[in-house]
Amino acid sequence: MRTRLAICRKKKRFASEADAIEAAQVATIDLRPYACDRCFQYHLTSRTKGKRRLPDVD
């Protein structure tokens, strides 16, 4: 599904997937990173359908 431009503009952007994963791991809710087809950076989403799981933090 393509990201709507209005949604992309509202979301925080991460320059790398590693930065997005780090932010998702410290969040209080389950978030997953995804590559945005609008800005070509990474955002976080709470939707889990079809998204891969984050690595476990030890």
Side-chain angles (χ1 to χ4, degrees):
M1 177 180 258
R2 187 167 182 155
T3 304
R4 292 193 334 251
L5 185 57
I7 298 300
C8 174
R9 287 181 178 161
K10 291 178 184 180
K11 289 191 170 193
K12 182 171 181 171
R13 295 177 181 167
F14 298 93
S16 70
E17 185 176 25
D19 291 341
I21 289 172
E22 186 178 320
Q25 288 175 332
V26 298
T28 57
I29 61 172
D30 188 23
L31 295 173
R32 309 274 170 84
Y34 70 95
C36 179
D37 59 352
R38 295 286 185 161
C39 67
F40 304 106
Q41 293 186 337
Y42 290 86
H43 298 297
L44 297 175
T45 185
S46 60
R47 292 187 179 197
T48 57
K49 186 176 181 180
K51 304 279 191 246
R52 59 193 164 128
R53 296 188 54 80
L54 291 175
D56 290 333
V57 177
D58 293 331

